[in-house]
Amino acid sequence: MVSKLAMITGRPVKCTLTREEVFYAHRGRHPVLMWVRTGVTRDGLITAMHFKSALDGGAYGSYGVASTFYTGVLQPITYDIPAYRFEGCRVFTNKPPCGPKRGHGTPQPRFALELHLEKIAHDLGLDPAEMKRKNFVKPMTRTVNWLRVTSCGLEECAQKVLHASGYGDRKRLPGHGMGFAISSYLSGAGTAIYWNDMPHSEVQIKVDRGGVTAYCGAMDIGQGSDSVLAAIVAEQLGLQPKDVRLVTADSDTTPIDLGSYSSRVTFMAGNAALEAARKMRLMLVEAVEAAGRKYEDVKFEEACVLAEAKFGTLVSAGSYTPPKIAGPYKGSGVGPSPAYSYSACVVDLDADARTGLVHINKVWIAHDVGRAINPLLVEGQVEGSVYMGLGEALMEEQEFRKGLHKWPSMLEYKSPTFLDVPEMETFIVETDDPEGPYGAKEAGQGPLLPVIPAVNAAVYDALGVWIDETPVTPEKIVEALRRKDKGEPARVGPTRFPDIPYPACIKVEPPPKDLSASPAEI
């Protein structure tokens, strides 16, 4: 409507919403009901898993098909699951439509899977962290559903947070608990929203006597992508980031970029920038050597003069298209990524058995970012994810009654303030991914995923009750303790999964596990 009015009037048009209207018009995270059954050996090795999901999609489709797939496809990216079955559906309801939110369809199954494995470990008398570590995926392998794992720093992430927190040697005191969880996420989706063979990111670089300018369609929405692109170009040309001018997010003057979503900008636009900068560097080197000079002995400004005299206008372009690595089955287009990031988290908290109040003391978080091009930005993204995860774990909730939102205002809809943020200790793990720009992977969404299940696991560690849904409110804790005292199951959460007529499953032969397998073997 706004776009059409702007076209008709030829003037800028702005649509403003009241806070209540925002609660109805926004695309929030899908509520998801999940059912998990896992086969394990006595010593905790996973042998098979069956995962079902049902998403409350609200009134419209949005990007719901992909969201449904994402609730199931990434489980084998963290744990080595030899046999895996996934069934999912998305239900239309008379509520505001849901869509992608930080983590896009993956925080919900991560929550379910991490707590599910916690319960299995307790039933087997095993330490949950050690049982999970026993099943970690290995680098340079393929999963049972044909997803390709390149670099993987999951074990190092786990080691750092477990050692720093003293998780294994923690004192077991009533009301005090610690929880451990892990996660993984995409470094950009391997397929475009509208499938085609064109590049996902393009960058152009212009060099002249006035300096260096990089043009890219990627939009910096606060995540710091402009700084990353400038740093990549500067590194290749032997400059400082401040020496690179950027023109971004202007569709009139910049080349195509698919957008700031799916944690793709650093990896994809970064690779495009790296290619363009390498081409420019080759032109500069060739011009300097043609003049009988050594490149390392010439100032950049002089190299530009020599290159401009030799080639004329100095322009280079780079692009990035993800490899075609989807599996040979329908639906395999959701899940593949050029690389996956990995995270591990430990949460320390106190929980009051009388009031149900929870106080987070400290969070330890480690993230495998491949290579931190800007470590300060990475740390900010990771800690921002922790902040957001704590809000979802303890406060944020949308309740509806007869199709209407119960509390469509920021007064009743609680989210953390800076007074609620606990101490955080962040570890950046570098694994130098072979396909990322200078080895970099994503950092914008993955670190959120382990925070929520780590909080719930810590509540169980403190009070011996499971809160199998979010948020963990004092009312739910008190109710779970009441049930425990009465000899009932010490939990609050969904009690059953509906009988859904899922279509017949597509049976797929697993690929060779080793990435070094020849094409003939695949």
Side-chain angles (χ1 to χ4, degrees):
M1 181 178 69
V2 172
S3 300
K4 188 65 176 178
L5 282 172
M7 293 168 64
I8 293 172
T9 62
R11 303 286 294 172
V13 177
K14 180 171 68 173
C15 176
T16 59
L17 303 176
T18 66
R19 178 61 68 186
E20 181 173 353
E21 288 171 334
V22 168
F23 275 86
Y24 287 104
H26 86 301
R27 302 295 173 97
R29 196 185 298 289
H30 285 83
V32 183
L33 185 63
M34 292 157 285
W35 177 96
V36 194
R37 175 180 288 165
T38 302
V40 294
T41 61
R42 291 185 182 276
D43 58 353
L45 279 176
I46 295 174
T47 60
M49 182 179 292
H50 185 187
F51 197 101
K52 298 179 184 180
S53 66
L55 289 72
D56 180 347
Y60 298 97
S62 182
Y63 203 44
V65 173
S67 303
T68 305
F69 274 104
Y70 275 129
T71 62
V73 297
L74 295 187
Q75 278 77 317
I77 283 295
T78 45
Y79 296 110
D80 186 0
I81 305 172
Y84 183 61
R85 179 175 181 174
F86 167 60
E87 297 171 290
C89 74
R90 185 175 184 269
V91 180
F92 287 98
T93 60
N94 62 337
K95 299 176 187 176
C98 298
K101 186 188 174 187
R102 198 174 196 171
H104 190 190
T106 62
Q108 302 95 318
R110 178 56 45 192
F111 173 84
L113 182 57
E114 292 298 304
L115 295 189
H116 175 66
L117 295 180
E118 289 270 335
K119 295 178 181 181
I120 291 175
H122 287 295
D123 289 346
L124 294 173
L126 302 174
D127 178 80
E130 292 308 312
M131 177 186 152
K132 291 177 182 180
R133 293 173 71 181
K134 189 179 295 186
N135 290 285
F136 283 174
V137 296
K138 300 295 188 291
M140 306 310 289
T141 57
R142 287 186 184 85
T143 68
V144 68
N145 57 336
W146 289 76
L147 300 181
R148 186 193 68 172
V149 178
T150 50
S151 60
C152 174
L154 191 49
E155 177 59 31
E156 187 177 350
C157 288
Q159 287 178 359
K160 285 189 176 294
V161 296
L162 291 172
H163 174 74
S165 65
Y167 176 89
D169 301 320
R170 66 192 185 281
K171 293 182 179 179
R172 300 302 182 93
L173 300 173
H176 176 260
M178 298 180 78
F180 168 75
I182 56 118
S183 70
S184 61
Y185 197 66
L186 316 165
S187 293
T191 50
I193 296 175
Y194 302 103
W195 286 29
N196 59 74
D197 295 323
M198 294 183 289
H200 289 206
S201 288
E202 300 172 1
V203 171
Q204 297 168 352
I205 295 176
K206 175 177 71 73
V207 173
D208 55 28
R209 285 157 283 185
V212 178
T213 305
Y215 298 84
C216 180
M219 180 179 292
D220 193 322
I221 53 175
Q223 82 276 34
S225 62
D226 282 357
S227 299
V228 169
L229 293 175
I232 289 173
V233 172
E235 177 70 18
Q236 192 61 214
L237 298 181
L239 303 172
Q240 294 295 319
K242 63 182 177 61
D243 298 324
V244 179
R245 291 194 299 270
L246 288 172
V247 178
T248 60
D250 183 345
S251 58
D252 284 339
T253 59
T254 61
I256 290 294
D257 186 89
L258 294 191
S260 294
Y261 68 94
S262 194
S263 284
R264 56 173 299 281
V265 176
T266 292
F267 198 99
M268 297 190 181
N271 267 322
L274 184 58
E275 180 182 312
R278 281 173 174 164
K279 290 179 180 178
M280 181 60 68
R281 180 184 174 89
L282 287 175
M283 295 170 65
L284 296 174
V285 171
E286 182 181 340
V288 170
E289 291 179 347
R293 312 277 295 278
K294 290 184 177 181
Y295 187 74
E296 54 269 24
D297 296 334
V298 177
K299 289 185 177 180
F300 181 80
E301 293 80 0
E302 189 176 355
C304 292
V305 171
L306 293 172
E308 198 171 344
K310 179 176 176 61
F311 298 109
T313 303
L314 298 177
V315 178
S316 64
S319 64
Y320 180 78
T321 304
K324 296 184 183 301
I325 50 178
Y329 61 93
K330 183 179 181 181
S332 64
V334 178
S337 178
Y340 298 93
S341 69
Y342 290 90
S343 304
C345 176
V346 170
V347 171
D348 180 287
L349 58 77
D350 290 316
D352 190 305
R354 186 175 64 87
T355 63
L357 291 173
V358 172
H359 179 266
I360 307 294
N361 300 315
K362 187 171 181 178
V363 176
W364 294 263
I365 182 87
H367 185 65
D368 166 21
V369 70
R371 170 65 67 88
I373 293 176
N374 186 321
L376 188 61
L377 282 179
V378 172
E379 191 172 338
Q381 286 280 28
V382 172
E383 294 186 357
S385 292
V386 172
Y387 159 83
M388 192 169 179
L390 292 176
E392 292 192 36
L394 297 173
M395 301 180 186
E396 299 183 47
E397 183 177 24
Q398 297 199 70
E399 285 286 340
F400 294 86
R401 182 175 296 163
K402 296 182 179 180
L404 296 177
H405 205 297
K406 283 181 66 176
W407 39 66
S409 80
M410 294 305 293
L411 180 63
E412 289 85 7
Y413 182 88
K414 306 299 181 184
S415 61
T417 70
F418 68 90
L419 294 175
D420 302 302
V421 177
E423 181 183 354
M424 301 180 198
E425 189 170 350
T426 303
F427 301 94
I428 297 175
V429 173
E430 296 188 316
T431 53
D432 287 342
D433 190 83
E435 299 203 13
Y438 293 113
K441 299 192 289 188
E442 79 88 32
Q445 301 188 67
L448 178 146
L449 275 60
V451 176
I452 305 170
V455 169
N456 289 55
V459 169
Y460 176 81
D461 194 48
L463 299 175
V465 295
W466 293 108
I467 309 300
D468 291 333
E469 61 185 26
T470 60
V472 180
T473 62
E475 293 84 357
K476 294 175 184 177
I477 290 177
V478 170
E479 174 60 20
L481 289 169
R482 184 192 67 80
R483 295 177 183 179
K484 181 181 179 182
D485 291 340
K486 292 182 64 176
E488 300 174 4
R491 65 177 295 274
V492 166
T495 57
R496 60 179 295 272
F497 191 87
D499 186 15
I500 297 173
Y502 292 110
C505 282
I506 300 172
K507 295 183 179 180
V508 183
E509 287 297 319
K513 197 158 201 164
D514 193 341
L515 280 188
S516 62
S518 67
E521 293 178 89
I522 299 177

